[in-house]
Amino acid sequence: MLAVILCIVAALVAFVAGRRSLPAGVLTVLATGYAYGIVRANVLEISSHFIFDAAVVGLYAARLLNLINPARNAPFRQLKRWVGVLMLWPMVLFLIPVHDTLIRLVGLRGNAFLLPFLLIGALLGQKELNRLALGVAVLNFLAFILAGVEFFVGLEPFFPQNALTQLIYASNDIANFTAYRIPSSFIGAHAYAGTMVMTIPLLLGACVQKRQHLWQRYFLFSVLFVSILGVFLSGSRSHFGVMVVVLLVSTFSGHLKLSTRMVWLIALCSVGLIVASEERLQRFTTLSDTESVTQRIASSVNGTMLELAGKYPLGKGLGGGGSSIPYFLHDLFQDSTAIENEYGRILLDLGIPGVCLWAGFIVWVFTRPIAYRKDPWSFGRRLAWFTAVAYFATGLIGIGLLTSIPQTCLLLLTTGWIAAPRERETSACQAPEAKPQPVIPVWQYDQPL
């Protein structure tokens, strides 16, 4: 009964917040996602699995008109078409009764339910991004505080051992199998790390905004510091790899002033000293075993993927990938195929047509010329571009890219933001320029403001 009440409250709060403003609605959904893991672990009811979903539905209901209104520019129209096609194909497969209806609903959730966040990201303007960044900074800071307590006190006071926390307690491979990966308040350590990495472009992009108050800059910079530490606390190697890409791009970008770059380097060196002094933060060092990493990539891409394509050209039916099926539905789905490849999971769910649709969409997104030279958020957009590229690439060696809470929402929101940005905003006191600003591909843009 408590879980049902929480679902209703989450939906209502997200709806009211979404009606008030887009950033408020998105932050409500993200806050629900941040708390989802720890709440679900302590409220052992079937309905607790739908608390986050209820918040998402509340946001969709609040912003329905914005999502279905005619597109205001060509990139947004194209994005809407892609979202429509990507959602339509799973809906068609849902009508084919290959598996139990509940299993097909799980498959529909993992392949279509969160895709409107692509459109929500495209609706974000400069003011919305600034507000969203500050809200996300607060959430990251609270998550780090809980992660720090778990690091010193342990996980038991926050995550009781039950069917929902088996994965958390199975991840005790830190410091020669003497410690657990830290999940903070998330459903697992991977969800914590992925969420922290996905927020780095937003936080760092907000830090360099000229109109930010001084206290906001200091706060955002401090949260960036603890967010990076959170990735090491989680012990996730794949998310560490993506974070390294983002940090390298941010450090050597021509967008940062020399003084800002020096402070940023000092902060990164400080993180390095902390990590070097604590063995429990050094799981990423196992990446030095290049042979095992190469074998995993080769088996995921060259072997399993091709074998599944030949065996299941039209997939195994919606939900056939077996991803994110709750424990109380395991009896309804016995034909599970183990695969460490998100595109392999899509293949099992949607078949070769579904994989081709996603491949076409990814190519379309990352070939958009979207960076305006005088866009205040061009630096954050550039970091977001590289972050999204890295995560879609890691889908080849892992699963959960489209089902991680709330990382998937942030990934899709970011992807929509870089694929169909709002037209360049001008202040009320400034007349619009007669000549439009030149647009260049984001991968070619590395000039200081």
Side-chain angles (χ1 to χ4, degrees):
M1 184 61 183
L2 175 59
V4 174
I5 295 174
L6 291 175
C7 288
I8 296 174
V9 170
L12 290 176
V13 173
F15 177 80
V16 173
R19 293 290 295 175
R20 182 178 180 182
S21 71
L22 183 59
V26 172
L27 285 171
T28 301
V29 171
L30 292 179
T32 306
Y34 274 59
Y36 175 68
I38 196 169
V39 171
R40 195 183 68 166
N42 288 275
V43 182
L44 291 179
E45 300 178 23
I46 292 178
S47 299
S48 66
H49 285 261
F50 307 105
I51 295 174
F52 178 75
D53 302 68
V56 173
V57 170
L59 175 62
Y60 288 170
R63 287 286 159 174
L64 181 62
L65 292 179
N66 299 86
L67 299 179
I68 65 176
N69 278 343
R72 63 189 176 277
N73 56 34
F76 195 85
R77 285 195 297 271
Q78 295 172 350
L79 179 63
K80 289 185 74 172
R81 294 191 190 103
W82 273 112
V83 173
V85 172
L86 290 173
M87 294 182 67
L88 179 61
W89 181 240
M91 291 177 181
V92 171
L93 295 181
F94 178 78
L95 301 176
I96 303 175
V98 177
H99 303 293
D100 186 271
T101 302
L102 293 177
I103 298 299
R104 283 181 281 138
L105 281 173
V106 173
L108 191 64
R109 178 185 184 272
N111 291 284
F113 181 60
L114 297 177
L115 292 185
F117 273 89
L118 289 164
L119 302 179
I120 292 175
L123 295 173
L124 295 173
Q126 296 174 20
K127 294 180 180 179
E128 290 88 351
L129 289 168
N130 288 328
R131 293 178 59 186
L132 185 61
L134 288 173
V136 166
V138 173
L139 294 176
N140 282 14
F141 182 71
L142 295 176
F144 177 76
I145 291 177
L146 180 58
V149 175
E150 292 171 354
F151 183 83
F152 292 105
V153 176
L155 303 181
E156 290 78 6
F158 309 98
F159 289 91
Q161 297 195 35
N162 52 49
L164 297 177
T165 58
Q166 288 180 355
L167 182 60
I168 292 177
Y169 285 100
S171 302
N172 62 334
D173 52 355
I174 302 294
N176 293 322
F177 298 91
T178 61
Y180 294 103
R181 306 180 200 175
I182 301 299
S184 184
S185 59
F186 297 80
I187 58 177
H190 273 276
Y192 176 37
T195 302
M196 294 301 101
V197 176
M198 275 308 311
T199 60
I200 291 177
L202 184 64
L203 297 176
L204 195 52
C207 275
V208 300
Q209 296 299 304
K210 296 180 179 180
R211 295 186 178 182
Q212 289 282 10
H213 295 292
L214 190 60
W215 70 268
Q216 293 175 337
R217 290 176 185 269
Y218 286 141
F219 177 62
L220 289 167
F221 201 81
S222 300
V223 172
L224 271 169
F225 183 85
V226 299
S227 298
I228 294 171
L229 276 180
V231 178
F232 290 102
L233 285 169
S234 73
S236 173
R237 296 174 297 182
S238 59
H239 294 299
F240 166 79
V242 177
M243 183 180 69
V244 169
V245 172
V246 179
L247 296 183
L248 287 175
V249 173
S250 64
T251 301
F252 296 103
S253 171
H255 231 325
L256 292 179
K257 296 179 181 179
L258 179 60
S259 57
T260 305
R261 185 179 289 109
M262 292 303 298
V263 174
W264 181 234
L265 287 173
I266 291 173
L268 294 181
C269 290
S270 301
V271 172
L273 291 174
I274 295 173
V275 172
S277 64
E278 176 54 61
E279 185 182 5
R280 291 171 62 182
L281 304 179
Q282 299 173 13
R283 184 173 181 267
F284 68 94
T285 57
T286 57
L287 288 172
S288 59
D289 186 2
T290 56
E291 182 178 355
S292 63
V293 175
T294 303
Q295 289 178 350
R296 178 173 177 178
I297 295 175
S299 62
S300 297
V301 180
N302 299 327
T304 308
M305 189 73 174
L306 295 177
E307 292 174 4
L308 291 177
K311 190 175 182 180
Y312 306 105
L314 296 179
K316 296 175 63 178
L318 195 62
S323 178
S324 299
I325 294 180
Y327 71 94
F328 53 85
L329 295 180
H330 283 174
D331 293 339
L332 300 177
F333 186 78
Q334 301 294 338
D335 187 19
S336 179
T337 302
I339 182 170
E340 285 290 328
N341 186 320
E342 183 69 10
Y343 301 102
R345 195 275 307 167
I346 294 174
L347 175 65
L348 292 175
D349 274 5
L350 307 179
I352 294 178
V355 175
C356 291
L357 285 174
W358 271 101
F361 172 70
I362 291 171
V363 171
W364 175 81
V365 167
F366 298 114
T367 55
R368 296 302 88 202
I370 59 172
Y372 289 98
R373 291 188 182 276
K374 293 187 178 180
D375 179 9
W377 272 90
S378 58
F379 177 54
R381 197 185 307 277
R382 185 170 188 267
L383 292 183
W385 189 92
F386 280 97
T387 307
V389 166
Y391 268 120
F392 278 110
T394 59
L396 292 169
I397 56 173
I399 58 174
L401 188 68
L402 299 179
T403 55
S404 180
I405 297 175
Q407 181 197 352
T408 298
C409 294
L410 286 165
L411 174 62
L412 295 176
L413 184 144
T414 298
T415 304
W417 172 45
I418 62 178
R422 288 175 58 169
E423 296 176 353
R424 192 169 62 88
E425 302 168 51
T426 55
S427 61
C429 60
Q430 184 180 14
E433 299 179 7
K435 184 178 179 181
Q437 289 294 320
V439 181
I440 58 176
V442 71
W443 56 85
Q444 296 179 6
Y445 179 59
D446 195 20
Q447 299 297 324
L449 288 175

